[in-house]
Amino acid sequence: MSSKTSRHVLSILVEDRFGELARIVGLFSGRGFNIDTIAVNKTLDPRFSRAVLTTRGDDQIIEQIIKQLHKLVRVRKVHHMTDEKHIERELCLVTVRAAAPKAREDLERIINLVGARVIAYSPTAFTVELSAPSKEVENFLELLRPLGIKDLCRSATIALARPGDDKTSNIGENAA
Amino acid sequence: MRGARIVCESLLCEGVDALFGYPGGAILHVYDELHKLDGKLNHVLVRHEQGAIHAAEGYARSTGKVGVCLVTSGPGATNVVTGLQDAMMDSIPLVVLTGQVPTTMIGNDAFQEADVVGITRPCTKYNYLVRDVSELASVIKEAFYLARSGRPGPVLVDLPKDVTAAEHPFSYPESVDLPSYKPTVTGHPKQIKKAIKLIESSERTVLYIGGGVVNANATDEIIELAERLNLPVTPTLMGLGAFPSGHDQSLGMLGMHGTYTANMAMAEAEVIVNIGARFDDRVTGRLDCFAKKAKFIHVDIDPTSINKNVIVDVPIIGDAKTVTRQLLDALPDAPPPERKEWWGILRDWQKRFPLSFKDRTDCIAPQRMMKEIAEITRGEDICATDVGQHQMWAAQYYPVKHGRSWLTSGGLGTMGYGLPAAMGAAVGNPDRRVLCITGDGSFQMCIQELATCVHEGLDVKVLIMNNNFLGMVRQWQELFYSRRYSEVGMKYFPDFVKIAEAYGATGLRAEKPEELHEILEKGLNTPGVVVMDIIVTKEANVYPMIPAGAAHYELVLEPEDDGEEPEPRELA
Ligand SMILES: Cc1ncc(C[n+]2csc(CCOP(=O)(O)OP(=O)(O)O)c2C)c(N)n1
């Protein structure tokens, strides 16, 4: 088994009950595993929620994490998305200073280049939204940095199997 | 029906015949119903909630049933936390019912409120806060099911006072609705085949068994497997009694204080068949040196135990009894292999490096005390231990004859476990004598349960290996801290004979080797609760010993030297 640390995306189908998220999070903190991001929301099946979690570790740690998650009494399924063809997205909201016309031009060029859009503005600043894989969000922020980032909020990553490769389905238990 | 009554009726439906508990405000409704039931539910009033939960553990381990505990909110609940973690680590099935402040007051820092579900989440297999009386019966049903199925463990049910006061019709569900919980019982046939092939390919094979064999009641299957394959068997501390220690093929316990032969067998084995054990660090020692020559087959009900510490060649997820039966069925019909070369080596080690100690005439050697106990009882009794040197000597010398008759805190190493665990076992096995081998330190951690034992008229024999020290810690300070004895002196205090008498038990003491046999004979054959204070060598060490983090082949045997007590040291 390789001992190389890499990033992993896990998609967890869990019964929608009081306290279950705390069990998942507690499992990570209690065993010294990392959570980089976690996103939780409903599925089409009201009995289940979906948690998408990104973490890092070598193969043995990931195997242990997946088994420990499976062992939780209310966890129905755990998919290792990194093993499958999948799509990832993170939502990023960022406010950039752009008072001078030159700055606005630069901003506009960057926005068009990456496919972001302005969702709010004031005379001196613009709030921009980008939905993209985490890596691209990082690059985008690098491009904006010289303009002056005033405020920033990033969501957790969510993930979905690619159509045609959808061993996983996000709509809930029956379709899974 | 009132919620509190639903709790009691549910316990009756589960066939609960003993309940260890301590009352308080938030659980009063349930205690009121117990009173109305007029003894139909057998409640044992302990003297501290820690005693209740260890008693429930001893009861569960010795009977195979789920142990049940009933305590109040806040301090009552926090007092059982040690026992929950203990049961979690040793896979003991428990249902622990805790009172809670009314749902309307939860989160308000109400009197005797604690976030019990939050506190106990990592030390239970599962836990519940019951928010509505309508869920009560099904939650209790699920709790028992979860506690005893799969890898057993403790389940806690938090009962707000308004829920136990509320009315609801009672019907106990027939089945549980746990769609995500499906423990694997039967081993995968492909893995069984692979395992058989691996076993057949090797001469130097060892069968390494753990507490999973006890939990699955798989002793008969294990004996059959060992005999049909002529395998040497070594149990872990938790697996003692799962294979008769008097059996010719037993190598004795392995691990930090295991026998030379058991540990060397692991170091030299080509194939290790692990059934129901978990490659604990007290067994493997230094991981990168552990059993370097071996391929591994690992049978465990808990997938997370597999490849956790040791990467194995043939993992088999399933119940120890079912999988061992599958292995037996898949074995070709052939006479047991001779393994002449392997047994030759093992027998030679056994002869050259048996468990040994220097007997003494000036004081009672602790191993001598254990040998005498072994002789008098012949290993027929249930034996509970506390934690420390005495625990290891008991493990080495007590010849556990029957399954479910060895009670010890293995994973957590909880001092204070012994007496209440013995008490719980005595409640569950009224026809058997129960020993509690303890130390002068450990005994004082739950000494108050003497009152419960006497009050309940139990047949519990407490044997204190009184070395005037927190012996195991002293041993480490001797060996690894140049004999700087920091805060380990017990100063022969208090007088345990007087303590026993004050509690209404019989107290006896032996100080000289020539008194030992007679006092043990007398104490073990005196009915009721007897405390035997046996004054042993002050500074004896447990050997063999694999120092923490060392490899099996670095095992240290009893040094040849002295025979004399070292110069006394001024105690800090
Ligand atoms: C609750 C708890 N506290 C501390 C320890 C650490 N500890 C392990 S063994 C030991 C000494 C036990 O002394 P004693 O009961 O007298 O037994 P002996 O080793 O002398 O046989 C201690 C303090 C422990 N295992 N459990």
Side-chain angles (χ1 to χ4, degrees):
Chain A
M1 239 180 248
S2 110
S3 58
K4 228 181 74 219
T5 298
S6 51
R7 176 175 174 274
H8 297 263
V9 182
L10 305 176
S11 176
I12 305 158
L13 190 65
V14 55
E15 290 176 50
D16 186 13
R17 287 165 147 262
F18 181 79
E20 293 309 324
L21 185 60
R23 279 180 223 280
I24 293 174
V25 174
L27 186 155
F28 278 75
S29 59
R31 293 185 180 268
F33 304 142
N34 273 315
I35 297 179
D36 286 344
T37 71
I38 181 165
V40 191
N41 212 330
K42 290 189 267 248
T43 64
L44 284 186
D45 183 335
R47 294 172 303 161
F48 294 95
S49 298
R50 169 77 58 183
V52 177
L53 194 151
T54 59
T55 181
R56 274 163 302 147
D58 62 27
D59 289 350
Q60 196 180 351
I61 288 178
I62 293 302
E63 176 185 337
Q64 197 39 227
I65 289 177
I66 292 174
K67 288 200 285 196
Q68 291 287 355
L69 285 167
H70 264 296
K71 187 169 153 183
L72 293 177
V73 168
R74 302 290 179 184
V75 166
R76 185 63 193 253
K77 286 206 167 87
V78 183
H79 283 282
H80 191 186
M81 302 299 282
T82 322
D83 274 355
E84 306 170 15
K85 289 200 177 119
H86 69 285
I87 306 153
E88 285 177 32
R89 283 297 178 273
E90 162 186 333
L91 183 63
C92 168
L93 303 181
V94 54
T95 300
V96 188
R97 244 181 289 269
K102 167 80 170 63
R104 287 190 194 174
E105 266 170 43
D106 287 350
L107 178 62
E108 197 182 346
R109 227 177 309 119
I110 296 167
I111 288 175
N112 288 338
L113 192 71
V114 302
R117 64 188 189 106
V118 173
I119 54 171
Y121 57 89
S122 75
T124 56
F126 292 79
T127 299
V128 180
E129 165 191 319
L130 175 69
S131 158
S134 299
K135 256 256 144 63
E136 285 178 32
V137 171
E138 304 275 346
N139 294 340
F140 175 57
L141 293 174
E142 274 315 303
L143 291 175
L144 293 182
R145 205 183 290 267
L147 295 175
I149 294 174
K150 272 186 75 179
D151 205 356
L152 171 68
C153 189
R154 299 171 66 174
S155 76
T157 290
I158 58 172
L160 198 69
R162 274 194 177 281
D165 284 302
D166 37 6
K167 279 181 279 180
T168 339
S169 157
N170 261 24
I171 61 172
E173 141 82 341
N174 293 330
Chain B
M1 188 184 284
R2 199 154 77 131
R5 184 59 174 253
I6 292 177
V7 172
C8 297
E9 294 294 335
S10 301
L11 296 181
L12 287 169
C13 288
E14 288 291 339
V16 171
D17 57 14
L19 170 66
F20 301 90
Y22 207 86
I27 198 73
L28 273 178
H29 297 319
V30 177
Y31 272 86
D32 189 42
E33 293 298 334
L34 276 181
H35 189 267
K36 289 184 198 159
L37 278 167
D38 199 19
K40 233 171 111 188
L41 256 175
N42 175 27
H43 179 274
V44 176
L45 175 64
V46 298
R47 296 303 187 268
H48 186 299
E49 288 89 353
Q50 185 181 0
I53 190 158
H54 292 324
E57 287 186 273
Y59 172 91
R61 188 80 173 166
S62 64
T63 62
K65 295 188 250 179
V66 175
V68 187
C69 224
L70 182 65
V71 300
T72 193
S73 68
T78 53
N79 273 347
V80 301
V81 170
T82 301
L84 289 172
Q85 180 65 5
D86 193 89
M88 190 71 180
M89 294 199 74
D90 286 345
S91 310
I92 309 293
L94 297 183
V95 168
V96 176
L97 306 167
T98 50
Q100 180 55 283
V101 301
T103 49
T104 49
M105 292 170 81
I106 289 179
N108 289 357
D109 299 325
F111 177 63
Q112 294 195 330
E113 179 180 359
D115 175 9
V116 170
V117 170
I119 290 169
T120 64
R121 204 176 279 126
C123 57
T124 51
K125 182 171 172 184
Y126 198 67
N127 63 13
Y128 294 87
L129 172 65
V130 182
R131 314 180 132 238
D132 194 286
V133 65
S134 63
E135 311 167 357
L136 196 46
S138 63
V139 163
I140 294 177
K141 173 90 186 176
E142 280 178 21
F144 275 87
Y145 179 77
L146 286 170
R148 71 164 80 89
S149 61
R151 178 175 180 173
V155 179
L156 180 138
V157 181
D158 206 19
L159 301 166
K161 198 168 181 183
D162 53 337
V163 171
T164 50
E167 291 283 335
H168 194 74
F170 174 67
S171 84
Y172 202 59
E174 304 242 301
S175 57
V176 292
D177 179 30
L178 290 162
S180 311
Y181 177 76
K182 298 262 176 314
T184 309
V185 174
T186 312
H188 197 292
K190 228 170 75 193
Q191 297 301 90
I192 300 283
K193 260 200 208 128
K194 271 199 210 159
I196 295 285
K197 222 169 129 193
L198 192 53
I199 293 172
E200 284 187 323
S201 73
S202 90
E203 155 85 6
R204 299 184 176 195
T205 310
V206 178
L207 182 53
Y208 149 49
I209 61 170
V213 174
V214 178
N215 277 332
N217 300 310
T219 293
D220 292 348
E221 286 76 7
I222 292 291
I223 296 175
E224 197 181 331
L225 186 72
E227 289 179 351
R228 274 181 65 186
L229 289 166
N230 192 20
L231 294 177
V233 182
T234 176
T236 65
L237 180 65
M238 293 309 292
L240 284 174
F243 187 77
S245 46
H247 194 290
D248 193 44
Q249 285 165 239
S250 174
L251 305 182
M253 181 175 79
L254 85 168
M256 183 176 272
H257 294 296
T259 66
Y260 179 91
T261 308
N263 283 317
M264 287 308 287
M266 297 293 274
E268 291 300 321
E270 293 160 0
V271 169
I272 291 173
V273 185
N274 169 352
I275 303 187
R278 58 186 176 88
F279 294 112
D280 172 77
D281 56 88
R282 286 292 184 262
V283 159
T284 61
R286 199 173 133 189
L287 262 180
D288 57 352
C289 298
F290 173 65
K292 278 315 277 178
K293 302 173 185 168
K295 288 203 150 81
F296 297 98
I297 298 165
H298 187 181
V299 180
D300 206 296
I301 188 114
D302 179 357
T304 66
S305 292
I306 289 173
N307 288 349
K308 184 170 63 184
N309 300 332
V310 172
I311 305 289
V312 300
D313 303 274
V314 185
I316 307 179
I317 297 163
D319 165 80
K321 190 184 185 83
T322 312
V323 173
T324 310
R325 178 52 60 200
Q326 285 177 286
L327 290 170
L328 285 167
D329 291 346
L331 276 182
D333 225 349
E338 266 198 80
R339 303 190 193 278
K340 217 166 159 183
E341 183 236 22
W342 187 218
W343 274 114
I345 297 170
L346 297 170
R347 294 295 182 220
D348 178 55
W349 283 336
Q350 283 180 318
K351 215 163 48 217
R352 278 168 45 214
F353 307 105
L355 281 177
S356 67
F357 66 98
K358 280 179 243 61
D359 215 348
R360 317 179 53 124
T361 49
D362 56 335
C363 59
I364 300 169
Q367 301 94 329
R368 164 61 51 204
M369 167 179 167
M370 279 318 306
K371 280 200 121 163
E372 294 281 344
I373 293 169
E375 227 177 88
I376 296 170
T377 63
R378 300 186 182 287
E380 291 285 345
D381 298 337
I382 295 176
C383 182
T385 80
D386 259 301
V387 172
Q389 293 182 312
H390 63 275
Q391 177 188 31
M392 292 302 129
W393 281 315
Q396 289 177 343
Y397 290 97
Y398 186 75
V400 193
K401 194 145 166 208
H402 305 288
R404 298 198 170 279
S405 299
W406 170 253
L407 316 175
T408 200
S409 170
L412 198 61
T414 310
M415 288 172 71
Y417 167 90
L419 179 61
M423 173 171 101
V427 168
N429 301 270
D431 51 338
R432 291 184 68 188
R433 186 166 60 184
V434 183
L435 314 181
C436 168
I437 313 277
T438 184
D440 44 335
S442 296
F443 185 41
Q444 295 185 67
M445 284 221 177
C446 276
I447 199 166
Q448 75 286 346
E449 298 310 326
L450 275 178
T452 316
C453 291
V454 171
H455 190 89
E456 297 286 324
L458 301 175
D459 197 15
V460 171
K461 314 299 176 210
V462 179
L463 296 129
I464 308 171
M465 214 175 254
N466 191 341
N467 55 12
N468 179 46
F469 279 112
L470 298 174
M472 188 57 97
V473 178
R474 185 209 56 73
Q475 173 168 347
W476 283 50
Q477 290 178 346
E478 175 186 332
L479 299 178
F480 310 120
Y481 296 88
S482 310
R483 245 184 128 216
R484 286 188 297 277
Y485 290 165
S486 178
E487 304 297 329
V488 287
M490 291 279 105
K491 313 197 169 159
Y492 290 123
F493 185 85
D495 181 331
F496 293 115
V497 172
K498 279 192 186 154
I499 290 252
E501 283 162 1
Y503 274 111
T506 306
L508 298 168
R509 178 172 295 124
E511 293 178 80
K512 299 191 197 88
E514 55 273 22
E515 299 167 346
L516 177 65
H517 187 83
E518 196 193 316
I519 291 291
L520 291 177
E521 249 332 324
K522 183 169 167 206
L524 289 169
N525 292 308
T526 302
V529 183
V530 182
V531 177
M532 285 158 266
D533 185 21
I534 313 295
I535 311 298
V536 299
T537 322
K538 277 195 209 167
E539 296 187 52
N541 289 336
V542 185
Y543 291 109
M545 176 177 194
I546 302 172
H552 276 180
Y553 52 75
E554 297 175 85
L555 170 141
V556 184
L557 293 166
E558 173 110 17
E560 284 295 335
D561 61 85
D562 60 270
E564 289 296 306
E565 208 45 298
E567 283 299 297
R569 265 266 150 132
E570 211 43 48
L571 289 176

